[in-house]
Amino acid sequence: QVQLVESGGGLVQPGGSLRLSCVASGSIFSIYSMGWYRQAPGKERELVAAITNAGAATYADSETGRFTISTDNVKNAAYLQIESLEPEDTAVYYCNREEYDGSRWHDYWGQGTQVTVSL
């Protein structure tokens, strides 16, 4: 059973930066994708970025350029670097991992880490 633990969230001023971390434990399969989603109060959960085990990254907003996703295969970790934070970025950020066992995909979620952008 895969367990995901997010960290790195907190209170940051507008224009600041944060690096979110997601560490996966109990991971078995090497074919996977990891992603970061966020959900603000009253809004649906939305994709921020995702990356495959091969390193192919996808971003929900290609025009923004403020988000960078990366992975560390040795540590079984995924990171989300956020630059030039805005109040609108305030949300709970969730880590997602999908693993392929050869026939099926399995989906896992972390508990989330709160990011608050405010003076």
Side-chain angles (χ1 to χ4, degrees), residues 1-83:
Q1 183 72 28
V2 173
Q3 183 172 276
L4 306 176
V5 179
E6 301 101 329
S7 63
L11 177 64
V12 63
Q13 295 182 345
S17 302
L18 280 177
R19 186 173 188 257
L20 307 182
S21 298
C22 174
V23 179
S25 62
S27 179
I28 299 176
F29 305 102
S30 59
I31 301 177
Y32 69 87
S33 68
M34 297 193 72
W36 286 96
Y37 294 72
R38 68 183 181 184
Q39 186 169 24
K43 298 181 63 178
E44 295 184 352
R45 188 172 301 184
E46 63 179 357
L47 172 70
V48 178
I51 189 169
T52 70
N53 57 278
T58 300
Y59 298 92
D61 189 353
S62 61
E63 299 295 323
T64 301
R66 299 185 295 112
F67 301 90
T68 302
I69 189 171
S70 61
T71 58
D72 185 328
N73 290 331
V74 176
K75 297 181 179 180
N76 290 320
Y79 309 95
L80 182 68
Q81 181 74 28
I82 314 175
E83 306 288 349

